[in-house]
Amino acid sequence: MLEYITPTLIFPIVTLFAIVLFFVNYLYDKKEKNGSVEAVLSQAAADKAAAGTCKDSRRRFSISREVFPMTAKDTRILLLITILYGVAAFWGLGDRKAPQTFYHYEGKDYTFTLTLDKPTEISRIMYYTGLYTGDYSIRWSEDGIVWSDITVMPQSYAKLFNWLYAPIEGTKRMRYIQVWSTTTPMEMGELALYDSDNKLIPVSEISFDGKVSALFDEQDKVPNSQNYMNSAYFDEIYHARTAYEHLENVYPYEVSHPPLGKLIIGVGIRLFGLTPFGWRFMGTLFGVLMLPFMYVFIKNIFGKTLIASCGTILFAFDFMHFVQTRIATIDTYGVFFILAMFFFMYRYIAQDYRTPFKKTALPLFLSGLMFGIGAASKWIVLYGAVGLAAIWLLRQVLVGSYCVKNGQSKEFIIYEVKTVLLSVLSFIIIPVIIYVLSYIPYGTARGMAISGGMLSNRNFYDIIIENQKFMFSYHSQLVATHPYSSPWYSWIFDIRPILYYLEYLPNNYKSAFGAFGNPLVWWGGLAAFVYVVIRFVKA
């Protein structure tokens, strides 16, 4: 039974449970503005606060403030923005059909022959690549005696889950076609032959060994041409591939990031198959889910429906947000959980200093949980944790200062012990557990089993430790180039975007898209940031 409880199922359920807890917390948060006094704070301290002590504590260095609630109007606007963006985000996301069965080349130089009913002018041959990298070889003959030169059909790491064309120049007359793999293992999903009129030759006109039937069982999924709608592009060649490898219990090729982001991608593949729509689904969904968090966050801070609406719309129309969440990479999950963990931290610190511990516990716990899930997705979340720690520490200092002024030092110590213990649980213990559990697919791919004591097996933890060393070494020493790369500072000012996809089309047309921010949002945001810093210094 334990073998069926995989991280691919666990982590999405945990995430959804956390989101449900958030809304439950929000609905039942009455904010008790007059301040119910915590067990650690005496009624006398509350009376002093009501008389003005609390007011003094909210001057320059106070972070306690009112959390403005959502209204029915906010809910309607939020739903409208989210639905409209969701329709735009999922529209044209990718094909929902692609080969699902693959022919596995089990032995090196294994050859199979295709025989057409009659000699036919072949204009092109398409093939769909699966796992593993290497080369196929192909040659053809009209009479079975005189054969063409051998042509190599590559399957490189940068072209997995892609429709590719065999490098054949012009139209060739063929009846017998031999294909074999020069490396092993290899996977090919489908093989398609086109005649001189560029029409797909029916399988009924092709004879072949039944062993290779997987190459011709999904001809209805063969596209007219290769493009981003039916093939992987940019870093999908790493992350979509790794997600599929986890599902197939294959040790992953890409191990330069923690596993959880790829496990989340795998949920979409489970739901919709190994298709472009399937491996892009979860990222797009998380991109949509960012909008409710953003709206409620802004409304809680400013209390204005107009500001919350404008801020969320600007975020929805940010070009980088739109492009990045529609590609199967793990960056989306890192950003989502960073947003979520700071949202819950804000809900925690904004509460009055007299708020009972049990009422501060849930947002603090959820902030830690979001941090844990995010850190297991991508390390960029760890950088955000530095900010979380600073905010958390500031909150403790201010609460301690408030309690000392009101003669409640002993009560504060009790309160702080509870807070520290909860924080250790939420930000250290639970994240470590999540991080370790996310590596279960690595262990199963090495022959370990949960029911067989994987979690108590030292070899399992050796895999995790070695991967941490590799990731640190890889990213700290990485010197990589890209034909359309852009330095970090150019992103801030929108000087040069990074090109994600480029396809040359007939009649001098091109299909391309890149990642860069909306200048209205980014330039305006940069100016606003400078303004806020100035206001803070002058405050």
Side-chain angles (χ1 to χ4, degrees):
M1 182 64 180
L2 290 175
E3 298 304 316
Y4 296 98
I5 305 176
T6 65
T8 310
L9 299 175
I10 293 174
F11 291 111
I13 293 174
V14 172
T15 302
L16 291 175
F17 176 69
I19 293 173
V20 170
L21 280 181
F22 150 61
F23 283 109
V24 170
N25 174 59
Y26 189 86
L27 289 174
Y28 289 94
D29 183 8
K30 305 302 182 181
K31 292 182 300 305
E32 300 180 10
K33 297 181 181 178
N34 292 327
S36 59
V37 184
E38 185 186 0
V40 299
L41 295 176
S42 68
Q43 184 63 46
D47 293 337
K48 289 182 181 180
T53 306
C54 184
K55 184 177 180 180
D56 292 338
S57 71
R58 294 195 183 196
R59 288 181 177 174
R60 180 175 178 179
F61 294 106
S62 175
I63 53 178
S64 175
R65 56 173 294 142
E66 180 179 3
V67 176
F68 296 97
M70 293 280 286
T71 65
K73 180 180 179 181
D74 288 310
T75 302
R76 291 193 296 269
I77 294 174
L78 173 56
L79 287 175
L80 179 62
I81 295 173
T82 304
I83 291 173
L84 291 177
Y85 175 82
V87 171
F90 281 103
W91 190 273
L93 181 62
D95 285 356
R96 296 187 62 175
K97 63 177 185 178
Q100 301 298 297
T101 58
F102 292 85
Y103 174 66
H104 300 265
Y105 288 82
E106 298 177 354
K108 186 176 181 180
D109 295 331
Y110 178 79
T111 304
F112 63 86
T113 301
L114 309 177
T115 304
L116 301 176
D117 287 351
K118 59 183 178 180
T120 305
E121 296 290 335
I122 302 296
S123 61
R124 59 182 175 134
I125 298 176
M126 288 183 70
Y127 61 104
Y128 187 75
T129 57
L131 281 182
Y132 311 110
T133 59
D135 293 316
Y136 304 107
S137 294
I138 184 173
R139 66 174 185 169
W140 56 88
S141 171
E142 182 179 349
D143 55 11
I145 299 175
V146 179
W147 292 86
S148 68
D149 293 334
I150 296 175
T151 298
V152 175
M153 298 163 52
Q155 182 166 300
S156 69
Y157 78 96
K159 293 296 182 181
L160 298 189
F161 307 128
N162 268 252
W163 285 101
L164 302 178
Y165 300 98
I168 299 174
E169 296 183 3
T171 300
K172 305 296 183 181
R173 192 170 180 82
M174 309 177 186
R175 186 181 183 192
Y176 303 98
I177 303 171
Q178 287 186 342
V179 182
W180 64 95
S181 171
T182 56
T183 54
T184 187
M186 291 279 279
E187 283 187 357
M188 183 185 291
E190 203 73 9
L191 195 62
L193 310 178
Y194 288 83
D195 62 19
S196 57
D197 294 326
N198 210 28
K199 293 181 179 180
L200 184 65
I201 298 177
V203 177
S204 59
E205 298 180 11
I206 308 173
S207 300
F208 48 84
D209 191 320
K211 292 181 179 180
V212 298
S213 59
L215 294 176
F216 297 94
D217 63 341
E218 299 173 285
Q219 294 285 292
D220 59 316
K221 298 175 181 177
V222 177
N224 293 326
S225 63
Q226 185 271 348
N227 55 55
Y228 74 92
M229 289 289 289
N230 55 50
S231 299
Y233 71 95
F234 200 66
D235 281 354
E236 288 183 341
I237 61 173
Y238 304 115
H239 301 141
R241 169 184 177 175
T242 302
Y244 178 65
E245 287 171 331
H246 286 327
L247 295 175
E248 292 296 304
N249 199 33
V250 174
Y251 198 84
Y253 168 78
E254 186 277 305
V255 293
S256 59
H257 296 286
L260 184 51
K262 280 87 74 172
L263 294 175
I264 297 175
I265 293 174
V267 175
I269 297 176
R270 279 187 179 274
L271 293 173
F272 303 102
L274 185 64
T275 65
F277 183 88
W279 63 63
R280 294 168 191 162
F281 175 81
M282 292 303 293
T284 307
L285 177 62
F286 271 71
V288 173
L289 293 177
M290 286 186 205
L291 301 187
F293 269 103
M294 181 64 73
Y295 190 101
V296 177
F297 203 167
I298 298 173
K299 180 61 190 293
N300 283 180
I301 294 174
F302 296 102
K304 301 290 185 181
T305 298
L306 180 61
I307 295 177
S309 301
C310 289
T312 306
I313 290 173
L314 287 175
F315 181 68
F317 279 88
D318 183 70
F319 306 149
M320 182 171 288
H321 172 74
F322 183 77
V323 170
Q324 193 68 48
T325 58
R326 283 166 49 89
I327 182 175
T329 61
I330 59 176
D331 305 85
T332 299
Y333 312 113
V335 173
F336 175 87
F337 290 112
I338 288 173
L339 174 62
M341 72 188 192
F342 274 101
F343 169 79
F344 290 120
M345 180 58 73
Y346 174 78
R347 298 280 300 199
Y348 167 69
I349 66 170
Q351 297 178 92
D352 191 275
Y353 300 154
R354 297 166 290 134
T355 304
F357 170 77
K358 64 180 180 180
K359 196 172 181 180
T360 67
L362 182 57
L364 187 61
F365 170 77
L366 290 176
S367 180
L369 180 61
M370 295 297 102
F371 161 71
I373 299 175
S377 301
K378 192 169 185 179
W379 275 6
I380 58 172
V381 180
L382 298 176
Y383 308 143
V386 177
L388 281 183
I391 295 171
W392 179 91
L393 182 61
L394 178 60
R395 164 78 181 184
Q396 310 317 310
V397 170
L398 293 175
V399 172
S401 176
Y402 170 78
C403 291
V404 169
K405 287 180 180 179
N406 288 278
Q408 302 297 318
S409 299
K410 182 178 179 180
E411 289 81 353
F412 170 70
I413 292 175
I414 299 174
Y415 168 86
E416 193 61 23
V417 168
K418 294 179 182 179
T419 300
V420 170
L421 289 176
L422 177 61
S423 299
V424 170
L425 173 67
S426 304
F427 291 92
I428 299 177
I429 297 177
I430 291 178
V432 168
I433 292 174
I434 292 173
Y435 201 89
V436 169
L437 292 179
S438 72
Y439 275 88
I440 288 177
Y442 283 52
T444 57
R446 289 287 173 85
M448 303 178 193
I450 299 177
S451 59
M454 178 196 301
L455 298 181
S456 60
N457 189 333
R458 181 176 177 177
N459 292 333
F460 174 63
Y461 294 96
D462 286 341
I463 292 174
I464 299 175
I465 293 172
E466 289 303 314
N467 187 229
Q468 309 316 298
K469 293 178 180 178
F470 169 78
M471 286 192 289
F472 179 80
S473 174
Y474 175 82
H475 291 290
S476 62
Q477 302 176 22
L478 178 63
V479 180
T481 59
H482 186 277
Y484 208 79
S485 61
S486 53
W488 67 266
Y489 55 82
S490 69
W491 287 39
I492 300 176
F493 301 100
D494 269 344
I495 297 174
R496 179 182 174 89
I498 184 170
L499 186 66
Y500 276 7
Y501 180 82
L502 175 62
E503 178 188 5
Y504 291 96
L505 303 174
N507 302 319
N508 295 321
Y509 285 100
K510 290 190 294 185
S511 173
F513 45 86
F516 64 100
N518 185 330
L520 175 64
V521 178
W522 286 47
W523 295 347
L526 187 61
F529 175 77
V530 174
Y531 173 75
V532 169
V533 172
I534 295 174
R535 285 293 302 271
F536 177 80
V537 173
K538 290 183 176 181

